[in-house]
Amino acid sequence: MKKFVKISLLFFLIISTLLLFNCSKIKRLQFALKMFSGKEQVERFRTVEKYFPVTEITPSNVPFRFAQINNIKLPDTYQFQGKVRSSNILLDETDVTGLMIIRNDTILFENYYKGNTAKDHTIAWSVTKSFVSALMGIAIKEGYVHSINDTVYQYLPELKGSAYEKVSIKNLLQMSSGVSWNEDYSDSDSDINRFGRTLALGRSFESFVKTLSADKEQGTYNRYNSSDTQVLGMIISKATGSSLSKYLEEKIWHPLGMENKALWMIDNQGHEFAAAELSASLVDFAKFGKLFLNKGVF
């Protein structure tokens, strides 16, 4: 009888583990397959940690806060193509979750929609690429990366034999790697959708990068390619000996006095989704925008 109970308990634990594992995969796939699906996307974009593993980037101990007077009121209507249109309808149809207007370091307007608040973090999507390119600039200045003319192989020998082996960092930054890429979100077989499924199914970003092939000579053709930025992130992490999250925290997040934590989605191997998936609050994104506006001076 005792033996039967032990076997039953073991069987129950195995089945429960399998169900939990598969439930996690199902939730991830639902996220990846229905990223832009109306009201569901808003909740998913601000609670990405419910669906995928993430790393946390801590807020600054000395936060910078913009002055705030909120003396702007959005007009009820605006004119476009000779027609009077509703501002509220525009905000709703374009799924705006937060709107902030800053002039001379003062917040003149700040409002949130669709359940979001000032403390909520939401996915930056491809704005993440700008954070990665900034980190590459810092890595070069600090001597971890010697030159934008260096090749991928010099930092990532594990990509030997891949389409990226001989590509220069400069051509990654300019998205002119020559590596074939389809970023059509409406095509279920596009590279970007396969990339998303790679994450959802728990595979590594590196394994996906190795599946790509080149169809152009590098430096001759500019094409939006999220994989190029993913490889940039891999180089930064390898060269600095730090995760992208920690490097961002040390070099940008804390120096800019970010007020809230940020989250960065990772694969099951712990590597950040460098091409997208950095999540933060609206005001902290605004500080990064201010940094670019001032050409790197904050």
Side-chain angles (χ1 to χ4, degrees):
M1 183 66 180
K2 289 182 178 179
K3 186 176 181 181
F4 173 77
V5 171
K6 286 181 179 179
I7 292 172
S8 298
L9 284 171
L10 180 61
F11 179 76
F12 175 77
L13 286 171
I14 291 171
I15 294 298
S16 297
T17 301
L18 288 172
L19 284 172
L20 285 171
F21 179 73
N22 285 324
C23 280
S24 175
K25 277 191 174 182
I26 289 169
K27 286 175 70 176
R28 290 185 188 185
L29 280 171
Q30 286 177 334
F31 187 106
L33 294 173
K34 297 182 178 181
M35 285 189 292
F36 308 110
S37 55
K39 65 179 182 180
E40 289 180 342
Q41 74 184 35
V42 175
E43 187 275 336
R44 287 171 177 160
F45 290 2
R46 68 170 171 248
T47 57
V48 63
E49 68 276 16
K50 289 183 179 180
Y51 300 88
F52 294 94
V54 297
T55 57
E56 184 174 313
I57 299 158
T58 63
S60 172
N61 290 327
V62 188
F64 169 82
R65 291 186 171 88
F66 291 108
Q68 187 161 7
I69 57 176
N70 279 15
N71 68 348
I72 284 180
K73 182 181 182 299
L74 292 185
D76 293 329
T77 61
Y78 65 99
Q79 288 192 9
F80 180 68
Q81 294 182 340
K83 294 183 179 180
V84 176
R85 301 169 188 260
S86 164
S87 298
N88 286 333
I89 290 176
L90 175 68
L91 293 171
D92 184 58
E93 288 181 345
T94 52
D95 292 317
V96 172
T97 56
L99 178 60
M100 181 177 289
I101 300 170
I102 298 173
R103 185 176 64 197
N104 298 330
D105 291 341
T106 299
I107 297 174
L108 303 182
F109 180 89
E110 180 180 8
N111 202 19
Y112 297 88
Y113 312 86
K114 297 185 182 294
N116 275 29
T117 70
K119 292 293 184 182
D120 282 322
H121 51 264
T122 193
I123 300 173
W125 293 107
S126 285
V127 174
T128 304
K129 294 177 171 70
S130 294
F131 284 89
V132 174
S133 65
L135 290 178
M136 176 56 78
I138 294 169
I140 290 171
K141 183 175 181 180
E142 293 187 333
Y144 291 111
V145 175
H146 304 301
S147 168
I148 59 173
N149 295 315
D150 289 350
T151 66
V152 169
Y153 176 73
Q154 288 175 251
Y155 299 89
L156 301 173
E158 57 268 36
L159 292 188
K160 180 178 175 61
S162 75
Y164 280 104
E165 177 184 355
K166 297 179 182 179
V167 174
S168 70
I169 291 172
K170 178 182 179 180
N171 285 328
L172 292 178
L173 286 164
Q174 295 184 155
M175 289 193 174
S176 57
S177 66
V179 175
S180 178
W181 188 259
N182 176 1
E183 189 125 359
D184 183 354
Y185 287 88
S186 65
D187 180 356
S188 62
D189 292 324
S190 68
D191 295 303
I192 190 61
N193 282 323
R194 292 195 305 111
F195 199 13
R197 291 195 292 272
T198 292
L199 177 65
L201 294 171
R203 303 185 188 121
S204 72
F205 294 132
E206 180 183 321
S207 67
F208 177 81
V209 166
K210 289 179 177 178
T211 68
L212 301 173
S213 59
D215 65 351
K216 305 282 185 185
E217 182 181 348
Q218 66 167 304
T220 65
Y221 186 78
N222 294 99
R223 170 174 47 206
Y224 195 86
N225 186 338
S226 288
S227 182
D228 286 359
T229 308
Q230 191 63 40
V231 175
L232 275 177
M234 292 166 63
I235 292 172
I236 294 166
S237 184
K238 192 73 172 287
T240 61
S242 172
S243 69
L244 284 178
S245 298
K246 286 299 177 186
Y247 203 52
L248 175 66
E249 182 180 85
E250 179 186 350
K251 303 301 177 182
I252 294 178
W253 218 253
H254 287 177
L256 264 59
M258 299 304 199
E259 297 172 44
N260 302 300
K261 71 178 181 181
L263 303 174
W264 206 333
M265 188 186 296
I266 55 176
D267 63 17
N268 282 12
Q269 290 68 40
H271 300 130
E272 287 86 354
F273 194 166
E277 307 300 346
L278 176 66
S279 297
S281 65
L282 181 59
V283 70
D284 288 335
F285 282 135
K287 290 172 190 173
F288 188 65
K290 178 71 174 176
L291 179 71
F292 268 57
L293 181 66
N294 288 348
K295 299 181 180 179
V297 178
F298 192 82

